[in-house]
Amino acid sequence: EIVASIEAAMNNGPLKGRHILVTSGPTHEPIDPVRYIANRSSGAQGSAIARALLGLGARVTFVTGPADVAAPIGVDLVEVQTAAQMLDAVQAVQNVDVGIFAAAVADWRIANASAQKIKKDGKGLPVLEFSENSDILAIVSASKTRPTLVVGFAAETQNVIENATAKRKRKGCDWIVANDVSPSTGIMGGSENDVVLITADGSEDWPPMGKDQVAQRLALKIAEALG
Amino acid sequence: EIVASIEAAMNNGPLKGRHILVTSGPTHEPIDPVRYIANRSSGAQGSAIARALLGLGARVTFVTGPADVAAPIGVDLVEVQTAAQMLDAVQAVQNVDVGIFAAAVADWRIANASAQKIKKDGKGLPVLEFSENSDILAIVSASKTRPTLVVGFAAETQNVIENATAKRKRKGCDWIVANDVSPSTGIMGGSENDVVLITADGSEDWPPMGKDQVAQRLALKIAEALG
């Protein structure tokens, strides 16, 4: 990894001079000081993508929630906890050529989060009120300073291509990397992935491969698209 | 750590011949295949306690949720995800002299967890229904095969001694290790702890010290109590 980042700094890869934003990992939405709602995301695919981009010479800003895997060496690292913090961090990044939104961002936060630990005091079960979080992918896709290429991710458990194709249009992004994260696939938390790339031209079904290989193929495809 | 476990296997520590059950880490309660509710627990204090007990010659069964820190080498390891799985695992352990319940077990689970990913489909916000989980500490304390010594933990954010003293009586355990986990203390996820030990004789306020030192002091106190 150190070697890869040194190589990236010295080489003239096809992404040299490009600034790429990658989001990664889960977000944690607090319920009270000791409890939170989380998404099942190790951050492995996001980190692999950042490494592959560095390897092709890009400058990478890496905005990550509390992931299991370490952030790659050589990125500009921004660590956040919640979806709201991730949006703020993303909006603070300037002059982005490509935005890759691999983080598993919580769709909802707890509107009535408690400053004190909720006690099991016989008063019955807690009532959690939810608020919808801002949609980072849709906001970036519609922004005046939109990156040239915006890539979203879709973690689906059924009708993967159909759901992901609809998501691409709804969000206004250019590509969607869709995968089936049903527990039976072992993809969530595993080292392998099985993705379909959705673009304006249709869908490309990639064979099952390691997350590092998915990252490498995506990075090369991005280099090609930027020309 | 390897040295410590070899020493433990060879030595004649004061806990030689004793079988101690330690629970550790958080539990994860699924909402759907990609979301869950978690407790903020690194498992650092539970792992440190298991290591200290091994060091004094005990046999340790270590039942742990998905913790950040690795389980100590030399324990009998049982890995679980949910509170219900932790209860099953605890009840399956036989002939326990001491039970130490350091895990941050979820008080509630989602009664209406979904087998498919809940979609943000414009039908409004999700409604989560909660069920109360079984109280592992109270069940073990009241069981016919109760360990000689049952030690609970209390993570409080206010009125620490008062809440923990009431908890000791309510649960029927012998000791409570209470700590203030308010975010301002930095204890949650940190390497230091600041605990009060609550027994039938009252409370002992230990000075702030490393989690390893808390573990060592607790292990020695257990050896002393068993005589």
Side-chain angles (χ1 to χ4, degrees), chain B residues 2 19 27 72 88 109 142 148 164 174 186 190 192 195 209 216 225:
Chain B
I2 292 169
H19 179 203
T27 66
D88 288 346
R109 67 180 177 280
T148 308
D174 300 296
E192 295 281 308
V195 311
M209 57 180 96
Q216 189 62 30

Side-chain angles (χ1 to χ4, degrees), chain B residues 59-194:
Chain B
R59 176 159 83 88
V60 177
T61 298
F62 191 71
V63 177
T64 181
D68 296 335
V69 303
I73 293 167
V75 297
D76 296 346
L77 179 64
V78 185
E79 294 179 309
V80 300
Q81 291 279 329
T82 68
Q85 290 166 356
M86 186 169 278
L87 175 63
D88 288 346
V90 163
Q91 291 187 316
V93 184
Q94 311 261 319
N95 301 318
V96 176
D97 295 301
V98 181
I100 302 176
F101 297 88
V105 182
D107 290 321
W108 301 284
R109 67 180 177 280
I110 311 298
N112 59 337
S114 169
Q116 300 297 340
K117 183 179 175 186
I118 301 169
K119 308 289 290 181
K120 199 169 62 169
D121 55 4
K123 287 185 200 146
L125 303 170
V127 177
L128 300 186
E129 293 167 18
F130 291 89
S131 294
E132 196 161 328
N133 281 326
S134 297
D135 188 326
I136 298 175
L137 181 59
I139 288 170
V140 170
S141 296
S143 81
K144 279 184 295 189
T145 56
R146 186 189 196 282
T148 308
L149 183 68
V150 177
V151 183
F153 274 68
E156 305 287 347
T157 56
Q158 51 191 352
N159 307 326
V160 175
I161 294 182
E162 197 181 317
N163 281 337
T165 301
K167 182 172 182 176
R168 196 190 76 84
K169 289 182 187 150
R170 198 168 64 242
K171 304 291 176 126
C173 61
D174 300 296
W175 299 351
I176 288 274
V177 180
N179 52 18
D180 184 342
V181 296
S182 299
S184 60
T185 65
I187 285 172
M188 207 63 107
S191 61
E192 295 281 308
N193 209 342
D194 186 359

Side-chain angles (χ1 to χ4, degrees), chain A residues 171-205:
Chain A
K171 304 290 176 126
C173 60
D174 300 296
W175 299 352
I176 289 274
V177 180
N179 51 19
D180 185 342
V181 296
S182 299
S184 60
T185 63
I187 285 171
M188 207 62 107
S191 60
E192 296 282 307
N193 210 345
D194 187 0
V195 311
V196 177
L197 180 70
I198 313 279
T199 70
D201 299 328
S203 66
E204 272 182 35
D205 193 353

Side-chain angles (χ1 to χ4, degrees), chain A residues 118-203:
Chain A
I118 300 169
K119 308 288 289 181
K120 197 168 63 170
D121 57 3
K123 288 184 201 149
L125 302 171
V127 177
L128 299 186
E129 292 166 20
F130 291 88
S131 294
E132 196 160 329
N133 282 326
S134 298
D135 189 325
I136 298 175
L137 181 59
I139 289 171
V140 170
S141 296
S143 81
K144 278 183 295 188
T145 57
R146 187 189 195 284
T148 308
L149 183 67
V150 177
V151 182
F153 274 68
E156 304 288 346
T157 57
Q158 50 191 351
N159 307 326
V160 174
I161 293 182
E162 196 181 317
N163 281 335
T165 301
K167 183 173 182 176
R168 194 190 78 84
K169 288 181 188 153
R170 200 168 63 243
K171 304 290 176 126
C173 60
D174 300 296
W175 299 352
I176 289 274
V177 180
N179 51 19
D180 185 342
V181 296
S182 299
S184 60
T185 63
I187 285 171
M188 207 62 107
S191 60
E192 296 282 307
N193 210 345
D194 187 0
V195 311
V196 177
L197 180 70
I198 313 279
T199 70
D201 299 328
S203 66

